[in-house]
């Protein structure tokens, strides 16, 4: 009992510290919970929560002029986020409070969950608290916060990690074996919560949880667990698959009953693989060198990046001007951002448009953008054919 109290206390401390530090950013915004915090993708998130109807998106004519909007055509399982926002919005009567509050709460929530995950691997005390708080404050959490809100919440990723650690380390199996009847019921409820949160808080986090689960089960097989034990340990992941299927069911029904006229928001599986590679490139140091004799190596790296065929944006974080000039000279991208965010270009401020498979032509917001909307007409008159003297007509001017 004392151990459980200490775990709860330290998890609360991690949450409070994370919340206090996040106020450096969110403090000025807390008085504006009832107002939109950003446009772009954040605006679509506000619209999603307005159209959310407990388990699925309702068809609405409020948006999507002239035929209305049916967000079921965009399959997703962002249920916990939308449900929280719907409840808060219904209580406050405001369409923005729910999502804004969820973003703020996600920081202490992620810190508390991260502490529990770290505790499973044996760390405790100030070090575990510091690691949990640090994880909750990673730049990704803030960077995604006013854009891809569902990904920014992050808590479903941590619940997936907790579930995999419990199963992979054998702690879940051990706790079931030694627990009382009441303890087993409480443990089952806790696991069910982890399964539900992991499954219906974003399709990416559900996939992430399943991948971790596969690794955990393979580890238990390598540890020579009995097949029955491994099978029981796989039940939570079967639950994730079922929950994801139920979450996608409204979209499946909508698409099958009234197929869209064109593909909407489609993404091929290979694109997710490419995205994973791009994310790896995003967090690694840029693999080019300003050292003498590295020209051939730099050329091969640039060729590999350009070989993707896509060239919308390229981002670089560096304080070395030589690296910036080197990358700028070799990269085939329509927009090259140095030491700034790669998304959220403002029309008229940051011209936006790509190269290659990412599009060509005048940039949106650029000085030549309006020309593409113009219809030019030329008029040519042969004055001599009309009986006029071209020389005399020209002299009149």
């Amino acid at each position: 009992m004392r151990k459980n109290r200490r775990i709860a206390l330290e998890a609360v401390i991690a949450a409070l510290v994370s919340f206090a530090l996040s106020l450096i950013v969110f403090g000025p915004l807390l008085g504006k919970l009832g107002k939109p915090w950003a446009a772009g993708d954040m605006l679509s998130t506000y619209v999603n929560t307005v159209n959310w109807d407990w388990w699925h998106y309702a068809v609405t004519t409020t948006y999507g002029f002239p035929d209305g909007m049916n967000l079921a055509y965009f399959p997703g399982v962002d249920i916990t986020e939308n449900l929280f926002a719907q409840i808060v919005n219904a209580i406050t009567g405001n369409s923005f409070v729910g999502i804004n509050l969820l973003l703020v709460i996600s920081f202490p929530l992620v810190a508390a969950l991260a502490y529990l995950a770290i505790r499973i691997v044996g760390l405790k005390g100030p070090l575990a608290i510091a690691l949990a708080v640090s994880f909750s404050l990673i730049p990704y959490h803030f960077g995604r916060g006013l854009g891809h809100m569902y990904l920014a919440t992050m808590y479903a990723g941590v619940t997936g990690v907790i579930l995999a650690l419990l199963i992979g380390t054998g702690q879940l199996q051990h706790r079931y074996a030694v627990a009382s009847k009441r303890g087993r019921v409480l443990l089952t409820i806790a696991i069910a919560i982890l399964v539900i949160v992991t499954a219906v808080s974003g399709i990416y986090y559900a996939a992430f949880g399943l991948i971790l689960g596969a690794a955990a089960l393979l580890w238990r097989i390598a540890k020579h667990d009995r097949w029955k034990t491994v099978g029981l340990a796989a039940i939570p992941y079967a639950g994730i698959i079922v929950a994801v299927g139920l979450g996608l069911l409204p979209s499946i029904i909508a698409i099958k009953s009234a197929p869209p006229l064109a593909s909407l928001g489609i993404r091929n599986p290979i694109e997710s693989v490419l995205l994973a590679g791009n994310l790896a490139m995003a967090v690694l140091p840029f693999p080019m060198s300003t050292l003498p004799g590295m020209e051939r190596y730099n050329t091969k790296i640039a060729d590999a990046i350009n070989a993707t065929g896509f060239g919308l944006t390229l981002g670089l974080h560096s304080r070395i001007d030589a690296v910036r000039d080197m990358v700028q000279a070799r990269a085939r991208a329509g927009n090259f951002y140095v030491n700034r965010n790669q998304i959220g270009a403002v029309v008229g401020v940051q011209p936006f448009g790509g190269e290659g498979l990412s599009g060509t032509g005048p940039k949106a917001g650029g000085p030549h953008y309006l020309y593409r909307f113009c219809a030019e007409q030329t008029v040519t008159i042969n004055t001599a054919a009309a009986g006029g003297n071209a020389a005399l007509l020209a002299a009149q001017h």
Side-chain angles (χ1 to χ4, degrees), residues 164-182:
L165 286 174
L166 286 173
I167 293 174
T169 60
Q171 293 188 41
L172 179 61
Q173 300 87 317
H174 174 73
R175 293 184 185 190
Y176 264 113
V178 301
S180 63
K181 184 177 180 180
R182 180 175 179 273

Side-chain angles (χ1 to χ4, degrees), residues 304-318:
I305 295 174
N306 292 330
T308 63
F310 295 95
L312 185 60
T313 60
L314 176 66
L316 174 69
H317 287 269
S318 177

Side-chain angles (χ1 to χ4, degrees), residues 187-314:
L187 187 56
T188 300
I189 293 173
I191 295 301
I193 293 174
L194 291 175
V195 167
I196 293 172
V197 172
T198 303
V200 295
S201 301
I203 194 69
Y204 291 111
Y205 287 128
F208 176 67
L210 289 173
I211 292 172
L212 290 180
L217 293 174
L218 288 174
W219 178 248
R220 296 318 307 172
I221 293 174
K223 298 292 287 184
H224 304 293
D225 280 6
R226 292 184 301 171
W227 285 107
K228 180 181 179 180
T229 302
V230 175
L232 291 174
I235 291 177
Y237 296 106
I240 291 178
I241 295 173
V242 171
V244 170
L246 291 174
L248 293 174
L249 189 59
S251 291
I252 295 173
I253 293 174
I255 293 172
K256 292 296 183 181
S257 60
L261 300 177
S263 297
L264 301 174
I266 190 171
R267 173 173 288 171
N268 295 323
I270 186 61
E271 293 184 46
S272 295
V273 178
L274 293 174
L275 175 62
N278 292 338
L279 288 176
M281 290 293 293
V283 300
L284 291 174
F286 197 79
M288 285 189 174
S289 175
T290 57
L291 294 175
M294 297 297 290
E295 182 65 27
R296 183 177 178 182
Y297 168 80
N298 292 337
T299 300
K300 288 186 176 295
I301 293 297
D303 290 344
I305 295 174
N306 292 330
T308 63
F310 295 95
L312 185 60
T313 60
L314 176 66

